[in-house]
Amino acid sequence: MGKKRYIDQREHRYTISEPIANDPTLIVCPKCSKKASVILSDTQPDFGHTVKAVCANCGFLNKKTVAERAFYWHEGEPSDSYFDYRLWLKISCCGHSLWAFNLRHLQLLEEFVSAELRENPKDNLGYANSSISSRLPKWIKSSKNRKQVLTCIKKLKQLAISA
């Protein structure tokens, strides 16, 4: 049997972090510190996205329309790209912080880390370094950390589906 392969599908930070109905961005509720969700409630091309941050535990609700998203991944706590709320899916791993926006993001990380062969084809403009997987830190890409990173991803998946 051959080695497990990962072929980069050019997933980008803007697509992987986009909350969808069945896979919202999971955040820490700013009111009660429990798991909450950021969901896309409407898209209007001339105005942008209408998004909601919702907590089923305490009833917290914040809604706004945004034309642009901001990413603050390397400034302390990683956050969602709409409200700048802390991400729920975060764990200490290999001396670093492993985090994800949602289950799709965790799935991508799991597929990448578990693969022994990783292919990174160029996009239609000839670039090979604009996807999420091409921008992962070296400690996640390292085969020596594979087992520990996969264990942490499994824990984050459990955290995502638990109350």
Side-chain angles (χ1 to χ4, degrees), residues 4-27:
K4 186 172 180 182
R5 300 176 82 93
Y6 173 84
I7 301 173
D8 190 348
Q9 300 297 314
R10 315 301 310 152
E11 186 77 60
H12 193 271
R13 67 182 177 176
Y14 287 105
T15 56
I16 199 73
S17 65
E18 187 75 46
I20 58 175
N22 62 349
D23 194 19
T25 299
L26 299 177
I27 59 167

Side-chain angles (χ1 to χ4, degrees), residues 63-98:
K63 181 178 176 179
K64 72 179 183 178
T65 300
V66 294
E68 293 183 12
R69 296 161 61 191
F71 294 91
Y72 304 103
W73 296 352
H74 304 292
E75 299 177 15
E77 291 278 334
S79 62
D80 81 282
S81 57
Y82 292 104
F83 297 97
D84 197 25
Y85 294 144
R86 290 183 300 132
L87 294 180
W88 180 255
L89 300 175
K90 182 182 158 208
I91 192 171
S92 180
C93 183
C94 302
H96 301 275
S97 178
L98 178 66

Side-chain angles (χ1 to χ4, degrees), residues 38-141:
V38 173
I39 56 174
L40 190 61
S41 60
D42 190 23
T43 300
Q44 299 175 0
D46 295 335
F47 301 105
H49 300 291
T50 301
V51 290
K52 290 192 261 186
V54 181
C55 179
N57 182 65
C58 71
F60 174 81
L61 173 66
N62 190 2
K63 181 178 176 179
K64 72 179 183 178
T65 300
V66 294
E68 293 183 12
R69 296 161 61 191
F71 294 91
Y72 304 103
W73 296 352
H74 304 292
E75 299 177 15
E77 291 278 334
S79 62
D80 81 282
S81 57
Y82 292 104
F83 297 97
D84 197 25
Y85 294 144
R86 290 183 300 132
L87 294 180
W88 180 255
L89 300 175
K90 182 182 158 208
I91 192 171
S92 180
C93 183
C94 302
H96 301 275
S97 178
L98 178 66
W99 55 269
F101 290 107
N102 48 37
L103 285 168
R104 286 186 333 250
H105 194 181
L106 285 174
Q107 185 64 36
L108 180 144
L109 291 172
E110 183 177 49
E111 289 171 6
F112 179 88
V113 172
S114 64
E116 297 172 81
L117 297 173
R118 299 172 183 153
E119 296 178 34
N120 188 15
K122 293 181 179 178
D123 65 14
N124 58 355
L125 298 174
Y127 296 108
N129 68 346
S130 61
S131 69
I132 286 283
S133 60
S134 70
R135 299 292 182 134
L136 289 172
K138 289 180 182 177
W139 67 270
I140 291 177
K141 294 179 178 184

